[in-house]
Amino acid sequence: MSKLKIVIFVAALVIAVLAAKVFSLYQAISPNPIVSWQVSNESNERVIDHRLWGEILGDYLSENQSSGVREFDYAAVSATDRTKLENYLAYLQTIDPRDYNKLEQIAYWGNLYNALTIDLILKHYPLDSIKEIGDGITGPWNMTLINVANTPLTLNQIEHGILRGIFKDKRIHYVINCASIGCPDLPAIPLTGNNIEQQLESGAFRFINQDKGMRFNDNKLTLSNIYSWFSVDFGENELELLRHLSQYATPKRQEKLRNFNGDIDFDYSWKLNQPN
């Protein structure tokens, strides 16, 4: 085989691998339900214990008084509390969430996603961004991180195949956090089945009224990239998206939305959500 043919073959192979990864990422972020998790026991009133997760949040999550953004102090997490987090994740793996009602399930999967993400960062810390983990294209989101009911799962499967795919509630975006400043803030307390409706509502209100969620500059509106990446969740067109934003915006921001007729830009910070 000539050198030119070898170069062409290698280039074609690289392109094929990259295309496969891009397609895999596209498939992963589509809200396609994993049907095996579409089971619940609505008569079950038992609750799942998230106290260990609550203790970790209470010790290491705080609000930056300048930016109003919640930050997690990864550098300060003690060896004892790393073990506590591992014990919490081990406990969640003893549970089959399908034995519980749907509200309890949403809380279970949301807390699992958030705790797994914190655990992932701690295992690779120090770093500046979660995107430094993984293959550089699909990041860590397609890495198998946990087994639930003897089923290996990735963060993408939890978020897009279960939380988005099954429960189909746009507000879920506001209570899961990818360890990034640009992401909706990590909930300050664990999600629970009893309080999930209020937590989804308060999460939406919080993010939409933060500059990282929505901000105006003259006649330009800048929104978080989650409204672009996951546009299918927020309506069929720009008007439906603006209605959603207005539903949770403060009166001052509602007025700006009503009068808005300019361009929309999208922005996102992948910087790690840690104190400076």
Side-chain angles (χ1 to χ4, degrees):
M1 184 181 292
S2 69
K3 289 184 177 180
L4 178 59
K5 288 183 177 180
I6 292 174
V7 170
I8 293 173
F9 174 77
V10 171
L13 183 61
V14 170
I15 291 171
V17 170
L18 290 175
K21 285 185 175 292
V22 170
F23 179 74
S24 173
L25 181 60
Y26 170 77
Q27 288 291 93
I29 65 174
S30 300
N32 298 317
I34 303 174
V35 295
S36 59
W37 296 106
Q38 289 180 313
V39 178
S40 66
N41 181 359
E42 295 306 304
S43 65
N44 184 2
E45 297 181 355
R46 288 182 297 154
V47 299
I48 298 169
D49 186 356
H50 298 290
R51 283 178 296 179
L52 290 179
W53 179 230
E55 291 173 7
I56 292 168
L57 292 173
D59 287 340
Y60 299 105
L61 186 68
S62 61
E63 184 169 318
N64 184 306
Q65 296 303 307
S66 175
S67 66
V69 172
R70 291 184 187 136
E71 299 169 333
F72 192 91
D73 196 351
Y74 302 95
V77 179
S78 67
T80 299
D81 284 334
R82 287 195 182 201
T83 300
K84 181 184 292 185
L85 179 57
E86 291 170 1
N87 289 341
Y88 173 65
L89 291 171
Y91 162 69
L92 292 185
Q93 289 179 87
T94 67
I95 294 170
D96 188 335
R98 292 169 291 194
D99 294 335
Y100 292 80
N101 63 62
K102 290 181 180 178
L103 295 180
E104 201 68 24
Q105 286 185 20
I106 295 174
Y108 171 92
W109 290 115
N111 288 328
L112 176 61
Y113 184 96
N114 291 333
L116 269 179
T117 302
I118 295 295
D119 184 62
L120 180 69
I121 297 298
L122 290 173
K123 287 177 177 175
H124 292 83
Y125 196 81
L127 70 170
D128 295 321
S129 170
I130 189 173
K131 295 184 75 176
E132 296 174 23
I133 304 170
D135 59 15
I137 299 175
T138 57
W141 293 282
N142 284 337
M143 295 167 54
T144 298
L145 298 179
I146 200 162
N147 282 273
V148 177
N150 297 314
T151 304
L153 289 170
T154 68
L155 289 172
N156 267 340
Q157 288 172 320
I158 294 171
E159 180 178 2
H160 310 299
I162 300 174
L163 282 168
R164 291 177 65 219
I166 293 175
F167 301 106
K168 300 184 185 303
D169 190 324
K170 62 177 68 70
R171 298 171 301 169
I172 284 171
H173 288 287
Y174 302 122
V175 296
I176 55 176
N177 178 270
C178 62
S180 303
I181 291 292
C183 201
D185 287 346
L186 190 63
I189 60 174
L191 307 175
T192 65
N194 288 334
N195 294 325
I196 190 63
E197 176 63 26
Q198 184 274 330
Q199 290 172 306
L200 290 169
E201 284 288 287
S202 62
F205 179 85
R206 179 179 181 84
F207 186 65
I208 288 170
N209 291 291
Q210 290 177 305
D211 283 349
K212 66 177 179 177
M214 176 178 70
R215 65 181 183 271
F216 290 89
N217 184 10
D218 295 327
N219 201 36
K220 182 174 288 185
L221 171 61
T222 301
L223 301 178
S224 166
N225 257 320
I226 69 167
Y227 298 114
S228 174
W229 295 329
F230 311 119
S231 58
V232 64
D233 293 351
F234 296 99
E236 297 181 356
N237 51 52
E238 182 179 297
L239 180 59
E240 289 189 13
L241 170 58
L242 295 178
R243 284 174 178 166
H244 168 71
L245 297 171
S246 183
Q247 180 181 355
Y248 294 98
T250 60
K252 184 177 180 179
R253 291 186 177 220
Q254 284 179 345
E255 182 179 0
K256 289 184 177 181
L257 285 169
R258 280 195 299 269
N259 297 326
F260 174 74
N261 62 357
D263 299 323
I264 296 180
D265 285 342
F266 296 95
D267 187 29
Y268 196 88
S269 172
W270 284 106
K271 183 179 178 182
L272 196 67
N273 60 339
Q274 64 180 343
N276 293 325

